[in-house]
Amino acid sequence: FIMTLVSPLLDFQVLRLKWPRLLAVIISLLIVLAIIAVIGLIFTELITQIIATVRSYSDNFVNLAKTVVQRVEAWGVELDEAKILSELQQKIPTFVSATFGSIMGIVSNLALISIFLIFLLAGRNPHVIHQGVYAEIDQKIRRYIATKMASSIVTGLLVWLLSLIHISEPTRLRR
């Protein structure tokens, strides 16, 4: 996937700018690593915010659970409120640490992907013009990636706009 995204950049550097292939590979790899670093920084900031607010979320979740337990008990169902709440309070830090572990797994996978990308970019020859089935497959993959990227960008922008509307006018939307 990344190779399909980066190969036009490599081709542009070698074919249009007439840069040596090694230099083009290094620059392409640096661009990919910079993007990965930015994504890593964003994840790090998100994790920091989650860890800083986990206590508040935990308290809110426990209060919500208390309300639910009280309403269920009002229907005549007997529940051990203390046991339920203590188990919930124990599960939330576990959930946060599991999420942190998953994000760290993603970061380590990105490092491994970068190593594979080095070899894929170094082995690619932009002067070779592919024809036939290979060219058709490559074209369809590029079209698929472009479509998915465009739809993801539109979805992200719509969610962002809706969240801005919700934040700026919360009372009107809740009615």
Side-chain angles (χ1 to χ4, degrees):
F1 174 75
I2 294 173
M3 179 63 185
T4 303
L5 289 175
V6 175
S7 61
L9 176 64
L10 180 69
D11 292 350
F12 177 77
Q13 293 174 51
V14 171
L15 299 175
R16 304 276 181 176
L17 300 177
K18 306 291 186 201
W19 290 355
R21 197 167 113 215
L22 179 61
L23 178 64
V25 167
I26 291 171
I27 290 173
S28 299
L29 184 63
L30 288 176
I31 290 171
V32 170
L33 291 176
I35 292 170
I36 290 172
V38 168
I39 291 170
L41 290 174
I42 291 171
F43 276 137
T44 303
E45 181 63 29
L46 290 173
I47 291 169
T48 304
Q49 288 179 0
I50 289 171
I51 290 173
T53 59
V54 73
R55 188 70 178 151
S56 173
Y57 286 124
S58 176
D59 292 342
N60 289 340
F61 191 72
V62 167
N63 289 335
L64 176 66
K66 283 181 184 178
T67 304
V68 170
V69 167
Q70 289 169 357
R71 287 189 181 171
V72 170
E73 285 178 342
W75 293 336
V77 177
E78 291 186 30
L79 297 173
D80 186 4
E81 182 177 339
K83 182 178 178 183
I84 291 172
L85 296 178
S86 69
E87 285 189 30
L88 284 175
Q89 287 175 330
Q90 291 174 358
K91 298 284 183 189
I92 291 173
T94 305
F95 173 74
V96 170
S97 65
T99 302
F100 181 71
S102 296
I103 291 173
M104 290 309 294
I106 290 170
V107 171
S108 66
N109 283 339
L110 288 175
L112 186 62
I113 288 169
S114 299
I115 293 170
F116 282 117
L117 188 62
I118 292 170
F119 290 106
L120 289 171
L121 287 174
R124 187 173 193 298
N125 188 354
H127 296 289
V128 174
I129 298 174
H130 297 284
Q131 296 176 352
V133 176
Y134 181 84
E136 185 179 338
I137 291 171
D138 189 51
Q139 178 188 19
K140 287 183 179 185
I141 289 173
R142 289 175 195 268
R143 189 177 307 136
Y144 172 77
I145 290 171
T147 303
K148 291 298 273 184
M149 187 175 284
S151 65
S152 295
I153 289 170
V154 168
T155 303
L157 288 173
L158 290 174
V159 168
W160 176 69
L161 287 173
L162 287 174
S163 68
L164 284 180
I165 292 170
H166 180 71
I167 290 171
S168 64
E169 301 176 21
T171 55
R172 192 176 79 178
L173 289 176
R174 290 185 184 154
R175 286 186 205 163

